[in-house]
Every structure is written in C-alpha cells, then in structure tokens.
C-alpha cells in the first residue's frame, strides 16, 4: 500500500496522473496497480480540503534490487553472470512494453531502488519494474531555451541524478528527446546489478569531482568485481548503452537482441 498525503491541487494532479499512467501497462515485469482510492480529509486552517491517496500493489517480500545488493555487499557477494543477464533481460521486457505503446512512454526513473526482486527456487530472480510516478510520453520536441530549462528542472525533480541521461542535465535549445533516456538509465542499472552502484557515483566522493561532468562525458570506472570477473562483453554492453549522444544510443529492441545473444553465450 502506497499512501500519499495531498496538500494542493498540483499534488492531486500528480497522483491522478500516476494512477492513469499505471493503468496503461499490463506486463509481468511491470508492477500492476491493483486498486486505488483518493479520499478527502478534514479541512486545513485556510478552509481548503486535503486529500489522501491509497494505491494498492502486489506484495513482494524480497525487497528491491538495491536492498538485495546491500545485503550481498555485506558478505562480499555478487550476482552470477547468468543472474545479471536474466534480471536485466526482464527489465528490458518491461521497458519494451512501455516503449511500444502509442505514444511510447518513458519510465524516467529506472534505478535499482525501483526494481523489485522475487526469488524462485531453482530459477533466476523475478525482476519487476515499479513506481510510475515519473512516467510520461517519451517523445518531446524542445524548440527554445525556456523549454530546455523546463525539461532540466523537471528531470532534476523526477530522475535520480546518478542514473539521469546527459540530455536531461544539459538539454540543447533544439532537441528531440525520446525514450532513449531510459536506455541510458538501463545501462547504469546493468552496471549496478553487477557492482551495486551507478557507474558515475564515484564522482560524488571525489574532491572537485562533478557527477554531471562524469555523466556528460560518459567517464565510466570499472571496480573490482567477483572472481572470476564478469566477462568483458558485459562491460562493452554497458558502454554501448551509455552513449552521451542520444541519437546514436541503441533502442530497446536492439538491447534485447544483444542481451539474448549474451544469455545464450554465458548461461550454459
């Protein structure tokens, strides 16, 4: 159960939009909204009514990908190459569903904290993408500096900084933004399935470091991983998704084609 206290009309519209958008999706790797209610509560001192929203979702007791990695890192444990690929493949399937709608929708906040895992005996974990509060029609035409600044301001509020695509940090005054913002976040999330953090979080801890500069320049650092280490093909796969120029970034169909080839190669 997700409870939201609503104190103004803007917050009310955001919740209504989340409910509307959630109802658009029907896929096993996207968390379904089972039911919802928005109720009025006692008036404020100014005489206006507040609201409370209740959104009901299925229960997943094994927590998020972020929760799981914190528990694993305490034991210096890592996902196997096979589990990395299987978890990632499921996220791709969920995003493919969103990107294939008409119009296409972008999730806009793909990150480990928004991925639920459910462990199944003898199988790879079931991965489910959740939280559609930031999901919007993916394709936007930016035709002025003010529109670019509006997009950047929106992204700063709705897209987690370490997973945010370069075009959402520094948007040109003339740009066509599309669902490939999710591909960038997906590449960051694949890295995080392996190593527990975004590929750019190192910049937060460096003296004089800049997260934005690291992202805009796609300055990836590869930490020490499990022994034996992950295949170089996985590193190349991440790098392929983290193209600073969105026009040369692959689309979700391309990603799925390549992850299926990697699964057949490394999941024997």
């Amino acid at each position: 159960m997700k409870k939201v206290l609503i104190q103004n009309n803007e917050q009310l519209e955001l919740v209504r939009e989340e409910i509307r958008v959630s109802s658009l999706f029907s896929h096993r790797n996207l968390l379904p909204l089972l039911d919802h209610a928005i109720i009025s509560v006692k008036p404020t001192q100014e005489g206006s009514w507040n609201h409370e929203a209740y959104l009901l979702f299925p229960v997943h007791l094994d927590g998020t990908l972020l929760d799981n990695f914190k528990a694993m890192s305490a034991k210096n444990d890592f996902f196997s190459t096979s589990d990395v690929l299987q978890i990632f493949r499921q996220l791709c399937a969920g995003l493919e569903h969103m990107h294939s709608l008409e119009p296409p929708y972008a999730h806009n906040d793909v990150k480990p904290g928004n991925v639920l895992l459910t462990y199944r005996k003898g199988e790879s974990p079931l991965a489910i993408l959740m939280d559609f509060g930031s999901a919007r029609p993916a394709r936007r035409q930016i035709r002025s500096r003010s529109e670019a600044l509006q997009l950047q301001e929106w992204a700063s509020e709705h897209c987690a900084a370490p997973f945010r695509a370069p075009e959402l940090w520094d948007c040109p005054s003339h740009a066509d933004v599309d669902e490939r913002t999710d591909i960038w976040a997906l590449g960051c999330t694949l890295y995080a399935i392996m190593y527990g953090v975004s590929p750019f979080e190192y910049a937060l801890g460096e003296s004089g470091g800049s997260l934005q500069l690291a992202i805009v320049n796609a300055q990836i650092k590869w930490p020490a991983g499990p022994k034996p280490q992950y295949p170089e093909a996985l590193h190349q796969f991440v790098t392929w998704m983290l193209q600073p120029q969105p026009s040369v970034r692959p689309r979700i169909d391309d990603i799925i084609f390549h992850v299926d080839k990697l699964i057949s190669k490394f999941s024997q």
Side-chain angles (χ1 to χ4, degrees):
M1 179 78 76
K2 177 179 178 180
K3 177 183 176 181
V4 184
L5 178 62
I6 301 166
Q7 296 178 303
N8 55 51
N9 286 334
E10 183 181 359
Q11 292 174 343
L12 180 60
E13 286 307 310
L14 285 173
V15 170
R16 285 175 172 163
E17 180 67 5
E18 181 174 354
I19 292 168
R20 185 193 70 81
V21 169
S22 296
S23 70
L24 297 174
F25 311 135
S26 179
H27 193 279
R28 71 188 299 265
N29 299 116
L30 300 175
L31 188 67
L33 177 63
L34 300 179
D35 204 354
H36 67 273
I38 300 176
I39 61 173
S40 299
V41 294
K42 62 183 180 180
T44 62
Q45 290 179 339
E46 293 78 22
S48 61
W49 285 80
N50 283 338
H51 297 80
E52 289 178 352
Y54 296 88
L55 282 66
L56 182 64
F57 300 98
V59 175
H60 290 269
L61 297 178
D62 293 326
T64 66
L65 181 58
L66 182 61
D67 297 330
N68 277 258
F69 206 94
K70 285 179 179 177
M72 293 168 67
S73 62
K75 300 180 290 185
N76 198 31
D77 198 8
F78 295 85
F79 286 114
S80 67
T81 296
S82 177
D83 279 351
V84 167
L85 290 169
Q86 293 291 348
I87 291 169
F88 181 74
R89 178 62 174 83
Q90 294 174 75
L91 298 183
C92 290
L95 278 179
E96 181 187 35
H97 178 72
M98 295 181 67
H99 291 185
S100 65
L101 295 177
E102 189 55 49
Y105 269 72
H107 183 281
N108 289 313
D109 202 19
V110 178
K111 60 183 180 182
N114 281 338
V115 178
L116 290 166
L117 291 184
T118 295
Y119 287 92
R120 303 172 293 178
K121 190 173 182 179
E123 297 183 61
S124 295
L126 173 66
I128 298 176
L129 188 60
M130 68 172 184
D131 193 350
F132 303 107
S134 300
R136 294 290 184 274
R139 295 174 182 175
R140 295 183 58 169
Q141 290 187 330
I142 304 300
R143 294 297 181 263
S144 68
R145 187 61 188 149
S146 64
E147 289 181 350
L149 292 174
Q150 283 177 352
L151 178 61
Q152 289 172 203
E153 183 178 347
W154 182 87
S156 71
E157 295 177 6
H158 294 88
C159 312
F163 297 83
R164 193 186 311 159
E167 62 269 26
L168 300 179
W169 285 94
D170 186 15
C171 183
S173 299
H174 192 285
D176 293 320
V177 177
D178 63 23
E179 57 271 26
R180 282 175 286 186
T181 55
D182 277 349
I183 300 301
W184 177 277
L186 196 59
C188 293
T189 300
L190 174 55
Y191 181 105
I193 298 171
M194 294 189 279
Y195 300 114
V197 296
S198 155
F200 306 104
E201 277 179 72
Y202 70 84
L204 295 171
E206 289 188 347
S207 177
S210 165
L211 179 64
Q212 180 177 345
L213 277 177
I215 288 172
V216 168
N217 294 313
Q219 296 170 338
I220 306 170
K221 291 188 177 181
W222 301 102
K227 294 184 179 179
Q229 292 186 332
Y230 290 119
E232 179 59 25
L234 270 183
H235 289 184
Q236 293 172 358
F237 195 31
V238 170
T239 303
W240 183 48
M241 285 180 272
L242 298 183
Q243 300 286 339
Q245 292 296 328
S247 61
V248 297
R249 208 175 294 152
R251 295 186 183 272
I252 193 66
D253 292 345
D254 305 319
I255 300 298
I256 289 173
F257 177 79
H258 282 277
V259 75
D260 284 344
K261 290 207 306 187
L262 289 175
I263 287 171
S264 64
K265 182 176 182 179
F266 293 111
S267 298
Q268 303 300 326

